[in-house]
Amino acid sequence: MVSGVPQGSVLGPLLYVIYMHDIPLPSTPQTLIQIYADDTAIFTTSYSEFQCSIRMQSYLDLLVEYFKNWNIKINPTKTQLVYFYPTYKYQNKLKKAVPVNIEKHMLKNDKSANYLGITLANKLCFKQHILNIRRKTAFAFNILYPVLSSSSGLDANNKLLIYKLYNRPIFLYAAPAWYKLLNKTQKKVLQKTQNKALNFVFNKWSKPPDFHRCSINILHDMAQILRVVDFTDRLISNAICKLMTSTCEIMNEIAHKY
């Protein structure tokens, strides 16, 4: 290999960390870079859109030079640029931003960006994220319908196990990072997703004329499963405990702020 690290190898992640250890850091405290494997996110903050654009462009130029020196190729078409604003300020302020480019490839202003499985919207809300995970969950339900339907012959315990192992992790992925920021309507949507799954588990979602459903409380008691809000509270508590016992100072700081 002329450059880079072998993909798919056991030592690949470690070699990549070593390979990228000297990546240049931002020169201003308002700009941060976060790297997880080969996913890189750059953040910069300012009250001025002009300053945000200038800082971002300056740091991108520095990274482009670094990547060229180490024969690392950047794919500008997969690079997203998002300006985050409170809803009421977004439309007017964005007009003052300066265009940002990577190797003369202009980056368009996207309304949202997917980072590590979470959709981050420019209006600082999670409406699009909820829509995305609902689509993913519905797709998973469709795939598993033959084994979750009343005609499958599978008992309720095994159906419930499938839901816990396959369906619930899809729509509650990384929930400690975003669940507390949802409004009541969005939280109800997630709860309805679990309610629907439990109806399938206990064969309470039949087509007419046998259509009938149990109350939500009875379904959860039968399944001995927590409601979504209680389950995410447990996830958050576990995450905070792990952060507080971490040897990383940044992780400890995040836990105390949470």
Side-chain angles (χ1 to χ4, degrees):
M1 293 185 63
V2 179
S3 61
V5 298
Q7 293 186 356
S9 64
V10 176
L11 292 177
L14 177 60
L15 294 175
Y16 183 80
V17 171
I18 297 173
Y19 192 75
M20 298 286 291
H21 82 284
D22 60 343
I23 188 170
L25 298 178
S27 58
T28 61
Q30 293 84 5
T31 305
L32 299 172
I33 181 172
Q34 299 290 334
I35 301 176
Y36 184 85
D38 58 347
D39 287 328
T40 303
I42 303 170
F43 308 89
T44 186
T45 60
S46 176
Y47 288 104
S48 165
E49 299 71 27
F50 178 81
Q51 281 295 330
C52 269
S53 304
I54 295 300
R55 288 173 183 165
M56 182 63 71
Q57 186 63 67
S58 176
Y59 187 49
L60 284 175
D61 292 341
L62 182 64
L63 290 180
V64 167
E65 189 65 27
Y66 169 81
F67 291 141
K68 282 184 178 179
N69 292 337
W70 288 100
N71 295 324
I72 300 175
K73 293 183 179 180
I74 306 175
N75 190 345
T77 60
K78 291 186 178 180
T79 303
Q80 293 181 279
L81 176 67
V82 181
Y83 288 90
F84 296 96
Y85 289 96
T87 304
Y88 66 91
K89 293 182 178 180
Y90 177 71
Q91 294 294 337
N92 294 328
K93 284 184 170 290
L94 189 55
K95 297 177 182 178
K96 301 178 183 179
V98 177
V100 178
N101 70 87
I102 295 179
E103 295 182 309
K104 298 182 179 181
H105 177 90
M106 304 306 298
L107 301 179
K108 69 174 184 177
N109 299 331
D110 292 319
K111 292 184 178 180
S112 63
N114 293 316
Y115 185 61
L116 300 180
I118 301 178
T119 304
L120 305 173
N122 57 5
K123 296 181 180 179
L124 300 175
C125 65
F126 286 90
K127 180 179 179 180
Q128 187 61 47
H129 180 67
I130 297 299
L131 291 175
N132 290 343
I133 60 178
R134 284 186 68 186
R135 292 193 192 101
K136 292 178 182 178
T137 307
F139 181 75
F141 271 124
N142 290 336
I143 293 177
L144 293 173
Y145 181 79
V147 295
L148 294 177
S149 65
S150 57
S151 60
S152 68
L154 200 65
D155 63 81
N157 289 331
N158 284 320
K159 290 181 180 180
L160 185 63
L161 183 61
I162 291 173
Y163 166 71
K164 289 180 178 180
L165 294 178
Y166 189 71
N167 293 96
R168 187 169 63 179
I170 294 176
F171 72 90
L172 289 183
Y173 171 76
W178 50 265
Y179 185 80
K180 290 294 186 180
L181 302 176
L182 302 183
N183 57 41
K184 291 182 179 180
T185 302
Q186 292 167 338
K187 291 179 180 179
K188 286 182 179 179
V189 169
L190 296 181
Q191 183 59 56
K192 287 180 180 179
T193 302
Q194 177 160 290
N195 298 344
K196 180 180 178 180
L198 294 181
N199 271 292
F200 272 108
V201 166
F202 294 104
N203 298 329
K204 302 299 180 181
W205 200 293
S206 305
K207 294 182 179 181
D210 299 326
F211 180 81
H212 60 284
R213 302 184 198 175
C214 287
S215 71
I216 303 307
N217 292 332
I218 293 176
L219 280 175
H220 284 73
D221 290 341
M222 291 171 63
Q224 296 184 347
I225 192 173
L226 294 174
R227 289 174 174 266
V228 172
V229 61
D230 298 322
F231 182 72
T232 51
D233 283 342
R234 177 181 291 183
L235 292 178
I236 292 171
S237 298
N238 293 339
I240 292 176
C241 290
K242 290 181 180 180
L243 290 174
M244 293 184 70
T245 56
S246 173
T247 57
C248 178
E249 294 182 2
I250 297 178
M251 295 299 182
N252 290 330
E253 185 178 349
I254 293 174
H256 287 93
K257 287 183 177 180
Y258 209 105

